[in-house]
Amino acid sequence: MGWLTQLVEERGAEALDLHAQTINPQFVRLLRTIGFDRRWARAEGAYLWDSDGNRYLDVLGGFGMFNVGRNNPRVREALIEALELDRPGSVQLGVDSLPALLAEELLRLAPARVERVLFTSSGAESVEAAIKLGRAATGRPRVLSLEHGFHGLTLGALSATSASEFTSRFGPLLPGFEKVPWDDLSALEDKLRAEDVALFIVEPVQGKGVKIPAPGYLEGVQQLCRRYGTLFCVDEVQTGFGRTGRMFAFEHWGLEPDLVTVAKSLSGGYVPVGALLMSREVYDGVFDSLPNAVSHGSTFAPNDLAMVAGLASLRELREQGLVERSARLGELLLERTRGFADRFEVVRDVRGLGLMWAIEFQEPPGGSRTWKLLERIQPGLFSQLVVVPLFRDHRILSQVAGHGLNVLKAIPPLVVTEEDLDWFVSALEETVAGAEKMPRALVRFALQAARAGRPQRRRLARA
Ligand code: PMP
């Protein structure tokens, strides 16, 4: 037995306590409060097993990084092969074939105007690159994004993100950033008219709330961006690599963005990797001389294992037909759940594109004092009345789609089966029916959890 196997066997049981001691005690408190404090033992495809041998269906999908399934054997084999090759990667003052081969594959999938790739190690870094390169290429300072958009938590990406729960204590954010309302082309045009906006960044389907744009909106955005010389940046970090039933979500609307950010599932779930795909104009506007040949980059970004994970993931998506599978199973899931909006008073809407699916809850039309109480204590609390029992009683790991929203979201690995969807749909049906009655025990639990979650903030004293 190797030392690693031994270490995990000997100390695996300490995971929660050790995490609380060394990493993030508040997070462990949160997990314990909502009853998500499992000891995880194993994972495969769309499943997780706890230390008691119970199998869970993972529709949270590592926030969208497991499109090819957890511990995908073919991606793993490629990584092992790469390790055994003693490759000469990361020479830094030199190049290797793997980054260029992955770039070639990515460009083959992208619209014709996108001709260059810059590798990164995360979604936020891809967004940072889009902001920096977009500003330099256009010589313009401003950056627009959508209300309720999410683009990452580093300072630049955070400046384009509009969730106050992530931004409020971390200011001042970068200057020149503004948000525009969803689906509103004239509000966007008003901001673009001054011709000082470098780029407009948009998620084709918003991760927060799983919002799908109105027909014509994104096409209109592209037209306006072209008219006013603003770069059109589509953030495919979550929607990319088959999630919405197309390789990239922008294909649904035939878009031709100047910039595309990717990450998450390019990793195969194994090695962090992201990229900014850009038009030749953007590249030429930044990397325009020998001294500027290294104007942006990052030490780890094009490392061997990341590149192999990317190549193997793209191959897996293609060979297993996962993009088509996402479209087909997504349609099936919608068909089987769309009726919930008529059957349950608390269901406002069920929507999805491929395997990016959500159910939104509302106060029952006749009014409900319990609903109002829950909302007063913590907006979006009702959705926890569904997420928690789904996990506890049905062994389905899901998530609420953003702070304060009554939206439950499913972004499972694209390898899920029809039987898995049956499991999800029947569990959801039972759970929503139970939550709709807002039983006292469940409401009391939710209120206690919300109160336990109130900040116990001790600000650092100013020196
Ligand atoms: N953009 C989008 C659309 C995302 O969904 C995310 C992550 N949820 C990010 C950017 C940031 O990616 P990362 O967590 O890898 O930094």
Side-chain angles (χ1 to χ4, degrees):
M1 190 195 289
W3 66 266
L4 180 61
T5 311
Q6 202 175 341
L7 182 67
V8 171
E9 273 192 12
E10 277 174 14
R11 306 214 42 204
E14 293 172 48
L16 286 157
D17 289 336
L18 203 56
H19 190 105
Q21 278 163 32
T22 58
I23 300 175
N24 188 347
Q26 293 291 13
F27 184 60
V28 172
R29 239 183 100 223
L30 169 74
L31 292 177
R32 289 191 162 129
T33 304
I34 60 174
F36 277 43
D37 51 342
R38 292 290 180 281
R39 264 179 61 203
W40 296 112
R42 194 163 76 79
E44 188 186 314
Y47 313 120
L48 286 158
W49 282 264
D50 68 16
S51 53
D52 296 327
N54 298 310
R55 186 173 67 131
Y56 292 69
L57 177 63
D58 176 13
V59 306
L60 194 155
F63 293 141
M65 62 178 270
F66 288 117
N67 286 12
V68 300
R70 289 172 172 272
N71 292 320
N72 181 296
R74 286 162 295 276
V75 178
R76 177 173 54 222
E77 260 167 43
L79 290 168
I80 292 169
E81 196 178 338
L83 284 170
E84 288 172 348
L85 284 174
D86 289 333
R87 301 210 71 264
S90 301
V91 171
Q92 310 298 12
L93 276 177
V95 296
D96 174 45
S97 53
L98 288 179
L101 288 168
L102 178 55
E104 185 181 61
E105 291 253 347
L106 288 168
L107 293 175
R108 237 201 303 269
L109 300 170
R113 67 191 288 124
V114 168
E115 293 184 72
R116 297 276 186 266
V117 177
L118 177 126
F119 286 107
T120 71
S121 304
S122 71
E125 270 185 75
S126 302
V127 171
E128 296 289 337
I131 294 166
K132 277 186 66 183
L133 272 50
R135 277 179 164 174
T138 56
R140 296 176 173 191
R142 291 172 65 214
V143 176
L144 299 180
S145 56
L146 279 181
E147 286 171 4
H148 308 297
F150 186 94
H151 301 286
L153 299 180
T154 53
L155 270 177
L158 188 64
S159 302
T161 293
S162 66
S164 62
E165 63 277 7
F166 288 123
T167 57
S168 66
R169 294 180 295 138
F170 302 99
L173 299 180
L174 298 191
F177 283 69
E178 269 183 87
K179 312 296 175 302
V180 294
W182 178 251
D183 274 348
D184 187 341
L185 287 173
S186 67
L188 176 64
E189 185 161 20
D190 286 347
K191 303 277 184 199
L192 293 178
R193 251 187 220 109
E195 302 200 348
D196 61 353
V197 177
L199 67 140
F200 176 65
I201 181 167
V202 59
E203 299 156 89
V205 177
Q206 272 190 341
K208 184 172 171 174
V210 185
K211 282 172 86 177
I212 300 166
Y217 176 66
L218 291 173
E219 298 93 313
V221 166
Q222 177 170 297
Q223 261 178 14
L224 289 175
C225 286
R226 300 268 196 275
R227 186 177 309 155
Y228 294 104
T230 291
L231 298 169
F232 178 36
C233 177
V234 176
D235 184 347
E236 293 267 4
V237 167
Q238 187 163 142
T239 50
F241 307 115
R243 171 56 52 201
T244 70
R246 298 285 182 96
M247 182 56 84
F248 292 114
F250 60 66
E251 295 169 29
H252 288 286
W253 301 277
L255 304 172
E256 293 223 6
D258 307 284
L259 298 164
V260 182
T261 51
V262 298
K264 292 202 193 264
S265 277
L266 189 60
S267 67
Y270 278 108
V271 190
V273 55
L276 173 69
L277 319 184
M278 65 188 124
S279 65
R280 185 188 290 241
E281 287 71 27
V282 172
Y283 172 84
D284 288 346
V286 182
F287 300 88
D288 58 354
S289 63
L290 285 189
N292 287 343
V294 288
S295 287
H296 188 71
S298 166
T299 305
F300 290 125
N303 76 82
D304 279 346
L305 291 185
M307 299 300 101
V308 172
L311 283 165
S313 301
L314 294 180
R315 193 181 169 89
E316 183 69 0
L317 287 166
R318 194 170 56 240
E319 291 192 346
Q320 307 296 322
L322 293 180
V323 181
E324 299 74 29
R325 185 185 182 87
S326 168
R328 183 172 61 79
L329 292 184
E331 199 46 52
L332 191 72
L333 178 58
L334 256 191
E335 266 170 34
R336 307 231 6 229
T337 49
R338 212 180 253 128
F340 284 17
D342 298 324
R343 293 210 353 247
F344 298 107
E345 289 199 318
V346 286
V347 176
R348 180 201 294 268
D349 188 31
V350 176
R351 54 183 173 264
L353 197 59
L355 281 171
M356 190 163 179
W357 175 98
I359 183 166
E360 181 168 0
F361 304 106
Q362 63 178 359
E363 181 175 357
S368 156
R369 284 173 53 191
T370 312
W371 174 282
K372 289 191 178 73
L373 171 69
L374 290 167
E375 279 298 292
R376 202 166 56 242
I377 299 291
Q378 184 185 305
L381 194 52
F382 179 84
S383 51
Q384 298 292 0
L385 263 53
V386 181
V387 169
V388 168
L390 260 188
F391 184 75
R392 187 189 56 205
D393 304 334
H394 298 277
R395 300 200 180 112
I396 292 175
L397 176 67
S398 66
Q399 68 173 122
V400 176
H403 288 77
L405 292 185
N406 268 309
V407 180
L408 182 153
K409 170 173 168 181
I411 45 170
L414 308 182
V415 299
V416 280
T417 63
E418 288 188 27
E419 293 73 47
D420 295 333
L421 295 185
D422 288 343
W423 176 2
F424 179 57
V425 172
S426 56
L428 189 73
E429 198 167 2
E430 196 181 312
T431 308
V432 173
E436 181 166 70
K437 297 190 196 108
M438 297 185 227
R440 204 171 285 168
L442 197 55
V443 170
R444 200 179 311 125
F445 167 80
L447 293 175
Q448 273 166 3
R451 289 193 181 111
R454 290 264 162 84
Q456 321 160 310
R457 194 171 302 149
R458 266 173 287 156
R459 286 200 185 278
L460 290 176
R462 263 192 220 149

